Amino acid sequence: MISESMRNTVRAKGLGALMKGAGLITRFIPIPQPTLLVGPGSSARLGQAVAGFGHRKILIVTDSIISKLGLLKDLTDALNAGGAQFVVFDEITPDAPIPLIQKGIDFFHEHDCDAIVAFGGGSSMDASKAIAVAVSNPKPLNQLAGYLKGLRAPVKIYAVPTTAGTGSEVTVAAVISDPVTHKKLVIVDPRMVPKMAALDPTLMTGLPPHITAATGIDALTHAIEAFVGNWTTSYSDGMALSAVSLIFENLRTAYTDGQNLAAREKMSLASTYAGFAFTRANVGYVHAIAHQFGGLYHTPHGLANAIMLPYVLKYSHPAIVDRLALLAVAAKVGTENEDTDTLAQKFLDAVDQLNRDLGIPTTLAALREADIPKLAVAACHEAHTGYPVPRYMSQQQCEDLIRKALPPKEPSSTKADKAAASAPKRTSAKKSQKPAKN
């Protein structure tokens, strides 16, 4: 009789060999890199450049908050000065749902556009990429999910990120949500990489601290998962280590002092470097689980990654000690003369401490025990069919890992006390009377 542990071992070896083989193939897929404009005012410089490219009409894809805050002004002023025609679609919402993307596709056609500027956070970037692919390949968006499902090249995209987290301005993927199935869908096509991107820190100074924190850990997750997986290259390693170093040096400052342009600029570079790293080396279980949280509970992607990163790292620890040690040195939480076991533990502790300093919760308030089995099934399927994870887990192990993020149960005595406190007070029908004075 084959034991469950032996069965898992055999299965893991088979999956590992398959993913390593796929990794060898992906090394030869050409991935374009955008021209990067970096620093204060770079969004205006991008507008000047795009205005000179002779597009018929440009679609700017963003959200209503960015539009109302006037963050588009430098870009649009530059486009106007260069005589470029443009229209603004500012209806993007978190998770980029399919019906909204379809609305953007219709808007693109209605205004006879021929290029897109993605302006905003990850949702605006992903929506722009999905629109660009679907415009060139008119078929249902869920049929475009997967690798290279569009025969024709997407329309040209330019990018102006307003958060330092997703790295989507340099990546080959777009994550969209299907509100019918409550699942995230991933469209992958190297031709979706923007032609040019502006990393303008002035657009990020107004980000609330909690968004700065979650998006910053999102970038850290990209870098770490790219570095510890089985598709690494010398290029992806260099980008990942640079990103980790920049994040540990600057994220706390960006969180506590949002107006610090130097920290904001370095965080935007870190996000881009991490994007370069995982575009080539891919991600792992943190993302596989986070995508399920986003699909079912609409948890912001950065927050979901931030919650799960410590748990997945601790699970993967036995298989990645050497890599964790290198990350510790890059993060400057240890030195090269220390032994690898010590350095690895220091990095795990440093990630925990960074999350605490940034106010990242250790649990997901929306998570329900009854949902965990289906979340684990979906996460394992995503990871085992697409990600070069360093240490495989069974469905049961995945369930146990997700269970760590369950919010603590409220003691029954506390519930009873709360119920009693909220119950209407009863008053006596008879009022006490004092003896009458003579």
Side-chain angles (χ1 to χ4, degrees):
M1 191 87 169
I2 299 176
S3 67
E4 183 63 24
S5 62
M6 187 178 293
R7 191 178 294 113
N8 287 336
T9 300
V10 172
R11 183 166 174 268
K13 284 183 178 179
L15 288 169
L18 183 64
M19 283 295 107
K20 282 183 179 179
L24 291 174
I25 295 171
T26 62
R27 290 183 185 212
F28 298 101
I29 295 176
I31 298 175
Q33 292 189 358
T35 301
L36 292 179
L37 306 175
V38 183
S42 56
S43 61
R45 297 200 300 276
L46 182 139
Q48 292 168 356
V50 173
F53 291 156
H55 291 297
R56 184 172 59 249
K57 188 177 286 186
I58 299 152
L59 173 65
I60 299 173
V61 177
T62 189
D63 63 64
S64 60
I65 295 174
I66 284 174
S67 192
K68 288 173 184 173
L69 288 174
L71 297 183
L72 294 173
K73 187 175 187 305
D74 287 351
L75 170 72
T76 55
D77 283 353
L79 290 173
N80 280 323
Q85 298 293 311
F86 64 88
V87 288
V88 178
F89 180 72
D90 62 359
E91 299 183 34
I92 299 303
T93 59
D95 294 330
I98 285 176
L100 188 58
I101 293 170
Q102 185 58 56
K103 192 173 181 181
I105 294 166
D106 296 340
F107 195 88
F108 183 99
H109 287 305
E110 178 187 344
H111 292 276
D112 194 28
C113 298
D114 63 344
I116 296 173
V117 173
F119 197 112
S123 294
S124 293
M125 298 284 163
D126 288 344
S128 297
K129 290 177 177 179
I131 291 169
V133 172
V135 162
S136 298
N137 300 276
K139 59 183 180 179
L141 283 159
N142 56 10
Q143 293 182 22
L144 290 170
Y147 287 81
L148 294 165
K149 292 296 181 71
L151 293 176
R152 288 173 289 277
V155 300
K156 283 185 176 148
I157 306 171
Y158 308 94
V160 184
T162 58
T163 62
T166 68
S168 191
E169 67 275 3
V170 298
T171 67
V172 300
V175 181
I176 61 176
S177 63
D178 186 338
V180 176
T181 63
H182 301 289
K183 290 183 178 180
K184 293 288 186 82
L185 304 175
V186 184
I187 301 171
V188 181
D189 190 327
R191 298 170 298 177
M192 289 194 303
V193 175
K195 305 301 178 187
M196 181 178 289
L199 308 182
D200 192 337
T202 61
L203 301 174
M204 304 176 190
T205 56
L207 282 175
H210 73 279
I211 295 179
T212 299
T215 53
I217 300 297
D218 187 18
L220 181 65
T221 303
H222 292 152
I224 292 173
E225 291 208 296
F227 189 73
V228 302
N230 288 323
W231 285 2
T232 59
T233 66
S234 58
Y235 171 79
S236 68
D237 280 354
M239 286 292 157
L241 290 172
S242 295
V244 168
S245 178
L246 285 169
I247 290 166
F248 270 89
E249 286 176 4
N250 296 282
L251 181 50
R252 288 182 178 89
T253 302
Y255 175 74
T256 57
D257 179 13
Q259 297 297 315
N260 190 310
L261 279 178
R264 289 291 191 186
E265 182 173 316
K266 287 176 181 175
M267 280 303 303
S268 68
L269 281 169
S271 175
T272 298
Y273 293 165
F276 282 137
F278 88 85
T279 289
R280 180 56 73 185
N282 220 315
V283 288
Y285 280 119
V286 180
H287 275 75
I289 295 170
H291 286 157
Q292 312 319 313
F293 289 170
L296 187 59
Y297 305 125
H298 303 289
T299 307
H301 180 64
L303 176 61
N305 273 345
I307 291 171
M308 293 310 302
L309 177 61
Y311 298 130
V312 172
L313 279 182
K314 285 163 190 170
Y315 171 81
S316 302
H317 177 202
I320 57 172
V321 172
D322 291 346
R323 294 252 120 186
L324 291 173
L326 292 171
L327 288 167
V329 174
K332 298 180 178 64
V333 298
T335 57
E336 291 179 351
N337 60 353
E338 296 176 271
D339 67 85
T340 55
D341 288 335
T342 300
L343 285 170
Q345 188 58 51
K346 280 189 173 184
F347 187 72
L348 294 178
D349 293 342
V351 171
D352 283 339
Q353 186 61 54
L354 182 59
N355 269 6
R356 284 194 292 271
D357 292 346
L358 300 176
I360 300 293
T362 57
T363 60
L364 179 64
L367 182 60
R368 298 190 300 267
E369 172 68 40
D371 295 331
I372 290 177
K374 65 180 178 183
L375 289 167
V377 168
C380 285
H381 176 75
E382 180 175 326
H384 298 166
T385 58
Y387 301 154
V389 297
R391 184 187 179 201
Y392 282 89
M393 62 177 74
S394 66
Q395 183 186 327
Q396 185 59 55
Q397 288 171 316
C398 190
E399 288 183 27
D400 292 342
L401 195 75
I402 295 172
R403 201 164 279 114
K404 294 178 185 294
L406 274 172
K409 289 184 179 179
E410 199 172 25
S412 55
S413 59
T414 305
K415 291 180 181 177
D417 292 342
K418 284 186 177 180
S422 62
K425 305 291 185 214
R426 293 185 179 181
T427 56
S428 174
K430 295 182 180 180
K431 294 182 179 179
S432 60
Q433 295 180 348
K434 294 182 180 179
K437 293 182 179 178
N438 291 333

